[in-house]
């Protein structure tokens, strides 16, 4: 178990404080005293498919350790092509809570966190969740912490689920002005992206099964595609087709089956008013703000943790 006493003492109990990892998902609040979470892998139980590490541990370090036992996490990396080249930290990925483009197959990031030990606004070390789902009862604080952007507590140590590495993983592409037919025909694709003209599909499993599926649907092997990073928004999965069609060709990539829309800089600045309204509401619903305020008051009434940060709002992200 990672010793969090020094981290808790560093967070303290009085003045405003912000936390920063690798700075790949927004970084520290400017002008506020900054702390960093503990680093290191405490234990890895391959047979139980769980790992415990400090929240400041780089994602790529955790990935490398898990790869040695044939496993991985679902924590997304940031930057570069799909899958990312810079991982940031484990705590940063969980605190921001944005899933990567593998969400169709991997599920949301929030489901990866089993247990967290975090430092509260009063400088206390608090445990939420448990190392296995069957041993957990009461309120699901772990899901509340994921996506809170460090406004409710600073993650110090986490236990996350792992997954087996696939025997084979390959991206494919095909020209398509409508992804619906392919989406309904494929069996459990890990990811499907569409820009209005072509579809990219990530398939994983036994090489022969992947080869057969690709031949059956006339899919062409390709490198991992790049997605726009200027802006990220959410629409209902059923509205992906209409949304992509309403935007300039080549300026948007949508996650089919999920509803996440990635926009290029030119699209983000040139959106028609009606399209912008459809993608990102101009005003957050009052009832949502009221709930966020009540939760914040319970966890951090003085507003000292990451002051000025709104949960779920990160550069290029959507609430």
């Amino acid at each position: 178990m990672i010793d969090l006493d020094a981290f808790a003492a560093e967070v303290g109990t009085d003045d405003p404080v912000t936390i920063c990892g690798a700075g790949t998902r927004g970084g520290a609040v400017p002008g506020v005293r900054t702390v960093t979470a503990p680093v290191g892998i405490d234990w890895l139980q391959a047979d139980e498919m769980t790992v415990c590490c400090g929240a400041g541990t780089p994602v790529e370090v955790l990935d490398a350790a898990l790869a040695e036992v044939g496993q991985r996490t679902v924590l997304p990396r940031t930057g570069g092509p799909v899958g990312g080249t810079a991982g940031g930290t484990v705590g940063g990925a969980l605190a921001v809570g944005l899933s990567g483009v593998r969400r169709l197959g991997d599920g949301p990031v929030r489901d990866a966190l089993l247990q967290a030990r975090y430092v509260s606004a009063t400088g206390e070390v608090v445990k939420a969740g448990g190392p296995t789902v069957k041993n957990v009862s009461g309120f699901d604080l772990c899901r509340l912490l994921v996506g809170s952007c460090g406004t409710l507590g600073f993650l110090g140590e986490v236990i996350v689920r792992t997954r087996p590495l696939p025997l084979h993983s390959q991206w494919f592409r095909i020209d398509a002005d409508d992804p619906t037919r392919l989406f309904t025909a494929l069996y459990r694709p890990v990811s499907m992206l569409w820009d209005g003209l072509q579809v990219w599909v990530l398939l994983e499993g036994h090489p022969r099964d992947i080869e057969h599926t690709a031949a059956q649907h006339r899919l062409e092997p390709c490198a991992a595609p790049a997605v726009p990073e200027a802006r990220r928004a959410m629409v209902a999965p059923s509205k992906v087709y209409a949304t992509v069609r309403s935007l300039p060709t080549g300026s948007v990539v949508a996650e089919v089956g999920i509803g996440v829309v990635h926009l290029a800089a030119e699209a983000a600045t040139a959106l028609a008013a009606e399209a912008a309204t459809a993608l990102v509401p101009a005003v957050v619903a009052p009832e949502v703000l009221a709930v966020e305020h009540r939760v914040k008051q319970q966890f951090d009434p003085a507003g000292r943790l990451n002051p000025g940060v709104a949960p779920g709002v990160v550069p290029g992200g959507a609430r």
Side-chain angles (χ1 to χ4, degrees):
M1 182 175 290
I2 294 174
D3 185 3
L4 296 186
D5 290 341
F7 180 47
E10 188 179 8
V11 173
T13 61
D14 300 316
D15 60 328
V17 60
T18 183
I19 189 169
C20 184
T24 60
R25 295 178 170 87
V29 177
V32 179
R33 182 172 64 86
T34 303
V35 298
T36 57
V39 177
I41 298 174
D42 188 27
W43 51 258
L44 195 170
Q45 296 182 352
D47 54 340
E48 295 291 337
M49 301 188 71
T50 54
V51 61
C52 176
C53 67
T57 306
V59 174
E60 55 263 37
V61 170
L62 182 59
D63 282 344
L66 289 171
E68 294 181 2
V69 295
Q71 295 180 8
R72 64 179 179 86
T73 70
V74 303
L75 302 179
R77 297 193 179 193
T78 58
V82 168
T85 55
T89 63
V90 172
L94 292 168
V96 170
L98 293 180
S99 301
V101 297
R102 298 174 54 98
R103 177 171 174 170
L104 187 64
D106 285 350
V109 166
R110 65 175 178 269
D111 290 348
L113 182 60
L114 292 173
Q115 177 179 299
R117 290 203 300 149
Y118 67 93
V119 177
S120 69
T122 58
E124 299 174 287
V125 177
V126 182
K127 183 175 81 72
T132 58
V133 175
K134 64 183 179 181
N135 289 336
V136 179
S137 61
F139 295 108
D140 194 348
L141 294 183
C142 284
R143 286 177 182 251
L144 189 62
L145 292 171
V146 174
S148 66
C149 293
T151 59
L152 305 181
F154 290 167
L155 293 172
E157 175 196 86
V158 297
I159 297 177
V160 297
R161 304 173 189 263
T162 66
R163 286 178 174 244
L165 284 172
L167 289 176
H168 186 63
S169 179
Q170 177 63 56
W171 280 95
F172 296 89
R173 65 161 300 278
I174 187 172
D175 293 334
D177 58 6
D178 187 343
T180 306
R181 183 195 64 80
L182 185 62
F183 181 71
T184 55
L186 288 178
Y187 176 70
R188 299 183 68 176
V190 178
S191 180
M192 180 176 288
L193 307 176
W194 180 58
D195 68 352
L197 297 176
Q198 57 185 331
V199 174
W200 294 272
V201 180
L202 178 60
L203 300 179
E204 292 183 343
H206 194 282
R208 291 182 181 177
D209 291 337
I210 294 176
E211 182 181 1
H212 173 75
T213 299
Q216 181 182 13
H217 298 284
R218 301 180 181 180
L219 303 177
E220 174 187 342
C222 67
V227 298
E229 297 181 348
R231 183 172 165 192
R232 172 185 172 123
M234 283 291 298
V235 299
S238 61
K239 296 186 181 298
V240 163
Y241 181 87
T243 300
V244 172
R245 285 295 176 210
S246 71
L247 299 170
T249 302
S251 65
V252 58
V253 172
E255 297 181 33
V256 181
I258 299 297
V260 174
V261 179
H262 303 267
L263 299 170
E266 58 271 22
T269 57
L271 280 176
E274 59 272 17
T277 301
L279 285 173
V280 184
V283 179
V284 180
E287 56 269 25
V288 174
L289 291 176
V291 171
E292 289 182 356
H293 178 72
R294 290 201 302 269
V295 172
K296 178 68 172 177
Q297 286 297 305
Q298 288 292 322
F299 282 78
D300 182 18
R304 62 182 301 261
L305 302 181
N306 276 356
V309 174
V313 179
V314 294
R319 283 181 74 93

